[in-house]
Amino acid sequence: MTTPYPADVPASQALFERARAVTPGGVNSPVRAFRGVGGTPRFMASGAGAWLTDVDGRRYVDLVGSWGPMILGHAHPEVLEAVTTTAARGFSFGTPSENEVALVEEIVDRIEPVEQARLVSSGTEATMSAIRLARGFTGRTTIVKFAGCYHGHVDSLLASAGSGVATFALPDSAGVSKAEASETIVLPYNDLAAVEAAFAERGSEIAAVITEASPGNMGVVPPAPGFTEGLRRITAAHGALLISDEVMTGFRCSRAGWYGLEVPYESGAPDLFTFGKVMGGGFPAAAFGGRADIMSRLAPDGPVYQAGTLSGNPVATAAGLATLRLCTPDVYARLQVVADTLSGAASEALTAAGVPHVVQRAGSMFNVFFREGAVTNYDEARDQDTAAFAAFFHELLSRGVHLPPSAFESWFVSAAHDDEAIAHVLDALPHAAAAAGRSGSGATIGA
Ligand SMILES: *Cc1c(COP(=O)(O)O)cnc(C)c1O
């Protein structure tokens, strides 16, 4: 049985006050600040397997997984060994090194249309570089993106973005120039007619369509059957590139990411892909890659400049390589079982408590939307009872289960979520569902 922890978290609270004095909002990435749910973020001191321990000494089953990377759980012994052995030989050389080659080989081996890839340090850098490359390759400037899709904090891609932009209901980001914004067309997700119409009007200006392979940053909203194919067909007909952002889904939804679940595409594969999160194993490593004729436009072979002091960092690539090599079919099978169990139990508990909800799933990624009816786009994702989510979230947190602190994020499971961790979550879920039911608005939404 889970018993709730006391409401106050003195050590996290003290650190949060210190942090707010010197860092905007007290955090180094906005969603960590708990603004979507209220309360004090937990400052974590350590992680092992499926569990995190905070500075007040409380333990939590982690369903954030560092927002995706920790697919094997925290401090996996073999990844730790790879990191410490590599670090002992030096941290960064500013020269090529073998792990970089091996990591890109692993990516190329897993995702058939990726003939070449280049390593960077964050998903943001990957999408930013892919956009520049698409513009350089096509000689066009306009980019099409979808509302609710998040591609990192790239200026031109912040319009109607998901993730923190959704959590805080920001219309767009301040500080993005009109010129940048005017070169971005934002369309509703899963709406091929809107894509057709945009291309009919401005097709010759459009360098690329960028889409999350299966969106996870407005909550989990998989592409409708034929949507990705349709994007491929339309972009190809107009000489534009298709960029599939697999930063979240890559190496998580399957060995070959979301691509591995949707393939084969009759109209052909996307031209470029972006990766991050899992491929860094918890360290800053990300990548973009795709067709060799496009990738060869990058410096030093071609005229599109792109660089990075720490790109392909030896320690980060060692962590990523060890992680990917450990991501065997058994691991993907285990992730499915964990996701089946937890999503099934969450739904059952909410149904029992009479709370309207829908669970959406993409591979082992899933989340609960607090509304009735499937979510196919950003408008529908925003039409949910975030107060019910906050009540659900806080009850789980008080019982040692750490969910993403936002109704617009996927929950992330790991292969380290063993029977003990799962039992702990199953025990807490009915209490959380009851709290969501008591939150008031929970009972009326969709009614
Ligand atoms: C997380 C994410 C990014 C940004 O990656 P960072 O490493 O946070 O810069 C880009 N695209 C998608 C789909 C993501 O989920």
Side-chain angles (χ1 to χ4, degrees), residues 69-85:
M70 309 319 301
I71 194 166
L72 301 172
H74 295 280
H76 187 287
E78 286 173 63
V79 181
L80 180 61
E81 168 71 23
V83 166
T84 50
T85 311

Side-chain angles (χ1 to χ4, degrees), residues 127 131 143-146 151 157 208-212 243 245:
T127 60
I131 294 290
I143 301 295
V144 172
K145 81 172 286 284
F146 296 101
H151 303 291
L157 300 178
V209 171
I210 185 167
T211 184
E212 281 191 59
I243 303 170
D245 182 352

Side-chain angles (χ1 to χ4, degrees), residues 67 121-125 127 150-153 212 216-217 245-249 274 276-277 286:
W67 304 90
S121 300
S122 72
T124 296
E125 260 186 277
T127 60
Y150 179 68
H151 303 291
H153 61 99
E212 281 191 59
N217 284 293
D245 182 352
E246 293 241 24
V247 171
M248 184 181 283
T249 50
T274 54
K277 298 193 168 110

Side-chain angles (χ1 to χ4, degrees), residues 83-363:
V83 166
T84 50
T85 311
T86 307
R89 296 195 203 109
F91 306 153
S92 184
F93 309 128
T95 69
S97 61
E98 184 172 349
N99 277 349
E100 299 167 60
V101 187
L103 182 55
V104 174
E105 282 171 346
E106 179 76 30
I107 293 169
V108 167
D109 178 57
R110 283 173 174 247
I111 298 153
E112 189 262 339
V114 175
E115 296 172 320
Q116 293 202 332
R118 178 163 281 173
L119 298 177
V120 292
S121 300
S122 72
T124 296
E125 260 186 277
T127 60
M128 178 186 79
S129 306
I131 294 290
R132 184 182 309 135
L133 179 57
R135 286 173 167 163
F137 182 79
T138 59
R140 303 171 179 181
T141 51
T142 303
I143 301 295
V144 172
K145 81 172 286 284
F146 296 101
C149 284
Y150 179 68
H151 303 291
H153 61 99
V154 180
D155 282 2
S156 59
L157 300 178
L158 274 176
S160 296
S163 194
V165 183
T167 305
F168 310 134
L170 302 175
D172 285 306
S173 173
V176 174
S177 73
K178 282 211 175 66
E180 280 282 3
S182 70
E183 287 172 348
T184 307
I185 300 174
V186 183
L187 300 177
Y189 190 67
N190 270 329
D191 185 346
L192 276 184
V195 180
E196 297 272 17
F199 271 89
E201 199 178 314
R202 295 175 65 180
S204 62
E205 302 163 32
I206 297 172
V209 171
I210 185 167
T211 184
E212 281 191 59
S214 177
N217 284 293
M218 53 176 141
V220 176
V221 180
F227 182 68
T228 315
E229 291 254 26
L231 295 181
R232 171 69 295 179
R233 179 174 43 75
I234 297 164
T235 48
H238 291 269
L241 301 185
L242 178 59
I243 303 170
S244 180
D245 182 352
E246 293 241 24
V247 171
M248 184 181 283
T249 50
F251 319 110
R252 173 168 283 277
C253 287
S254 79
R255 181 180 184 277
W258 182 258
Y259 174 80
L261 298 182
E262 270 211 330
V263 79
Y265 298 108
E266 267 167 37
S267 49
D271 303 290
L272 293 174
F273 292 79
T274 54
F275 306 105
K277 298 193 168 110
V278 168
M279 64 157 283
F283 285 76
F288 64 105
R291 278 165 46 191
D293 64 317
I294 302 174
M295 292 303 288
S296 69
R297 305 302 290 157
L298 282 177
D301 282 352
V304 179
Y305 198 72
Q306 189 281 329
T309 301
L310 296 177
S311 292
N313 173 267
V315 183
T317 49
L321 193 57
T323 298
L324 289 187
R325 285 182 174 161
L326 287 161
C327 283
T328 58
D330 284 351
V331 162
Y332 291 109
R334 177 67 191 167
L335 296 175
Q336 291 297 326
V337 171
V338 176
D340 284 348
T341 309
L342 294 184
S343 63
S347 186
E348 210 175 289
L350 288 164
T351 302
V355 179
H357 69 280
V358 58
V359 175
Q360 296 203 176
R361 181 88 180 259

